[in-house]
Amino acid sequence: MAQNVEGKNGQDLRHQEVGHKSLLQSDALYQYILETSVYPREPECMKELRELTAKHPWNIMTTSADEGQFLNMIIKLINAKNTMEIGVYTGYSLLATALALPEDGKILAMDINRENYELGLPVIEKAGVAHKIEFKEGPALPVLDQLVEEGKYHGTFDFIFVDADKDNYLNYHKRIIELVKVGGLIGYDNTLWNGSVVAPPDAPMRKYVRYYRDFVLELNKALAADPRIEICMLPVGDGITLCRRVS
């Protein structure tokens, strides 16, 4: 059980600044998880991409190593073959997925910034999985609208991972629920949003955390009420909610 950390006035300082990457209260415990079960099993190519991304000024956007390991296992457990990723950044989660897919597996990957994707692309190519990825630069919503409109893609995706602009998560959900197959999974990243979902309104927060918090809260409420899915919210990385389509 995590212990409270109190300041001179006795107040709880665990949320002195909402924005910690790990949701675990103990940094040492999180480091133990990484060093014991994540890093020893992390493929060399993923380690290379993780270390490369750490040098990027926007490195807070990357998928954590423990979440990458989790995604890799989920893909294998459900025998996914046709997947989608909305929000790629430098491609750490994309590489985790590509490595888990069979040789003829496919990922439709979308991001508004090709430059970030191309930063990690040499590592992905060296890993021998670039042929599994179809990258589209630009907003995802027009692409999703086209897929839905064409009709033939309904229920064809085994797994869809969303780690992009939080203010559009509900817009994405309205579309991809049609595209994922019954029994397939959708993963929404950052659904605990730096712990801010339970922080008091006057808690110190970085501007971007405060701005997107209400959108994350709205998404979480909507997912919990959606009868078309079963959900499981997990404190992995910054929080990931798995949605299994049931109808």
Side-chain angles (χ1 to χ4, degrees), residues 33-60:
I33 293 172
L34 292 175
E35 293 179 358
T36 303
S37 69
V38 179
Y39 292 158
R41 293 297 189 98
E42 185 181 37
E44 190 60 34
C45 57
M46 290 188 65
K47 177 184 179 182
E48 183 180 353
L49 183 51
R50 175 170 56 82
E51 292 177 345
L52 177 72
T53 305
K55 300 173 184 177
H56 194 278
W58 301 343
N59 58 47
I60 195 170

Side-chain angles (χ1 to χ4, degrees), residues 198-240:
V198 295
D202 59 348
M205 295 181 208
R206 298 172 188 177
K207 288 183 179 179
Y208 79 94
V209 173
R210 184 176 298 279
Y211 175 78
Y212 287 113
R213 181 176 66 155
D214 287 347
F215 294 107
V216 174
L217 288 169
E218 185 182 12
L219 170 80
N220 292 340
K221 185 177 179 180
L223 294 181
D226 191 335
R228 298 168 296 180
I229 55 176
E230 297 172 336
I231 65 171
C232 180
M233 181 183 283
L234 298 167
V236 176
D238 188 30
I240 179 171

Side-chain angles (χ1 to χ4, degrees), residues 8-26:
K8 292 181 179 179
N9 298 323
Q11 73 269 32
D12 188 342
L13 296 182
R14 284 179 299 171
H15 299 293
Q16 189 170 32
E17 181 187 359
V18 178
H20 197 286
K21 183 64 177 175
S22 170
L23 292 167
L24 288 175
Q25 294 302 321
S26 166

Side-chain angles (χ1 to χ4, degrees), residues 30-31 37-38 63 65 79 81 83-84 120 131 139 146 154 168 185 203 209 222 227 239 242:
Y30 182 57
Q31 196 64 28
S37 69
V38 179
T63 300
N79 295 313
K81 188 172 181 179
T83 73
M84 180 191 301
H131 65 283
Q146 183 179 352
H154 284 217
N168 265 319
L185 291 178
V209 173
L242 290 180

Side-chain angles (χ1 to χ4, degrees), residues 128-152:
V129 293
H131 65 283
K132 301 178 185 180
I133 300 167
E134 178 187 359
F135 179 83
K136 289 184 178 292
E137 182 182 20
L141 286 176
V143 179
L144 296 175
D145 283 337
Q146 183 179 352
L147 294 176
V148 171
E149 185 179 343
E150 289 182 12
K152 63 182 180 180

Side-chain angles (χ1 to χ4, degrees), residues 34-104:
L34 292 175
E35 293 179 358
T36 303
S37 69
V38 179
Y39 292 158
R41 293 297 189 98
E42 185 181 37
E44 190 60 34
C45 57
M46 290 188 65
K47 177 184 179 182
E48 183 180 353
L49 183 51
R50 175 170 56 82
E51 292 177 345
L52 177 72
T53 305
K55 300 173 184 177
H56 194 278
W58 301 343
N59 58 47
I60 195 170
M61 291 169 54
T62 192
T63 300
S64 62
D66 54 323
E67 187 173 1
Q69 184 185 59
F70 175 73
L71 292 174
N72 183 275
M73 182 172 284
I74 285 291
I75 294 294
K76 293 173 181 174
L77 284 172
I78 66 173
N79 295 313
K81 188 172 181 179
N82 190 35
T83 73
M84 180 191 301
E85 183 159 331
I86 301 173
V88 172
Y89 186 42
T90 60
Y92 188 80
S93 57
L94 187 64
L95 179 55
T97 299
L99 289 170
L101 288 174
E103 188 62 22
D104 59 346

